[in-house]
């Protein structure tokens, strides 16, 4: 886990050097620099490194003039995952297996032996 967190932090280092918006080298070793690294690692440690790297690339390509933060990268990962799920084939349910299908309801009820009482039926027949 520590190695993975360190590799996630390397991705922040790469982005920071690409954009150099923070005076990254000047602030190295400061509390603010360390806090950014920790926040980045905490937010992204549960995602595989390949997803973090792909999200970093996507964030840079979609907005090349803005340094992405960990929230941007998480959003890119979630967006990529949603796109992957949408592209998966979905099995079609069998028409007879659909819940609440009125065409099958009467047959299903007969198959399990359910006989509903009908309004207007004699009350003598119901009491027997």
């Amino acid at each position: 886990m520590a190695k993975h967190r360190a590799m996630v932090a390397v991705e922040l280092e790469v982005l920071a050097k690409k954009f150099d918006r923070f005076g990254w080298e000047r602030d190295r070793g400061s509390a603010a620099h360390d806090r950014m690294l920790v926040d980045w690692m905490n937010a992204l440690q549960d995602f595989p490194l390949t997803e973090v790297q792909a999200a970093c690339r996507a964030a840079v390509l979609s907005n090349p003039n803005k340094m992405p933060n960990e929230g941007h990268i998480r959003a890119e990962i979630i967006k990529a995952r949603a796109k992957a799920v949408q592209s998966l084939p979905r099995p079609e349910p069998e028409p007879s297996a659909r819940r609440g299908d009125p065409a099958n309801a009467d047959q299903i009820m007969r198959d399990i032996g359910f006989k509903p009482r009908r309004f207007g039926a004699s009350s003598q027949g119901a009491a027997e």
Side-chain angles (χ1 to χ4, degrees), residues 5-15 37 40:
R5 284 176 57 88
M7 293 306 297
V8 168
V10 166
E11 294 306 312
L12 174 59
E13 292 274 352
V14 169
L15 284 174
L37 285 170
W40 182 273

Side-chain angles (χ1 to χ4, degrees), residues 12-88:
L12 174 59
E13 292 274 352
V14 169
L15 284 174
K17 287 179 187 264
K18 284 182 181 180
F19 288 93
D20 197 34
R21 299 280 193 248
F22 302 121
W24 192 252
E25 293 301 323
R26 181 188 74 233
D27 290 342
R28 186 172 295 285
S30 70
H33 181 272
D34 294 346
R35 172 70 185 274
M36 284 191 289
L37 285 170
V38 168
D39 287 350
W40 182 273
M41 289 185 295
N42 288 343
L44 301 173
Q45 71 182 357
D46 295 328
F47 298 103
L49 187 58
T50 55
E51 283 185 310
V52 173
Q53 291 168 333
C56 289
R57 284 190 300 274
V60 169
L61 291 174
S62 68
N63 201 350
N65 295 325
K66 185 176 180 186
M67 169 68 179
N69 63 36
E70 61 274 14
H72 295 121
I73 302 306
R74 280 182 69 100
E76 287 290 339
I77 292 170
I78 301 302
K79 187 168 48 171
R81 286 182 173 187
K83 188 176 179 182
V85 167
Q86 283 182 338
S87 68
L88 293 174

